[in-house]
Amino acid sequence: MKRKTEQLMTEGEAILSAIRQVQMQLECARNSFEAVTDAALIDSYIYQIISLQKKYEYFLRTAKEMGLTHGYQKIS
């Protein structure tokens, strides 16, 4: 039982880490989008932002399914 709890905590930490990483990537992509003027680069950043938003939604959904909230795992 203890081992399963430890494994869930490790998985949960990985999910939360991935969420933070995607948030930073989104911020960088949005800042870059605001800074460029070339049409091809604008399109590139639009696709990158959309892709990162989908990834962010996936990790949020996974965290919710695991019962993770604000960096802490719910204990039942």
Side-chain angles (χ1 to χ4, degrees):
M1 184 74 164
K2 184 177 180 181
R3 188 173 210 179
K4 187 173 183 176
T5 302
E6 289 174 358
Q7 182 181 5
L8 284 174
M9 289 180 68
T10 303
E11 289 175 19
E13 290 168 357
I15 295 296
L16 295 174
S17 176
I19 289 171
R20 287 188 292 273
Q21 183 179 8
V22 172
Q23 286 173 327
M24 289 187 293
Q25 290 173 332
L26 264 170
E27 183 178 347
C28 288
R30 288 177 179 143
N31 290 337
S32 296
F33 172 78
E34 294 294 328
V36 298
T37 56
D38 183 76
L41 288 175
I42 291 170
D43 286 345
S44 172
Y45 284 115
I46 289 171
Y47 290 120
Q48 184 178 5
I49 290 167
I50 291 169
S51 173
L52 288 167
Q53 286 172 333
K54 294 297 182 185
K55 189 182 280 191
Y56 184 69
E57 291 170 8
Y58 164 78
F59 286 124
L60 283 180
R61 185 175 57 252
T62 303
K64 184 177 179 181
E65 289 170 359
M66 292 178 71
L68 301 174
T69 57
H70 299 293
Y72 299 100
Q73 186 170 7
K74 287 184 183 176
I75 299 173
S76 27

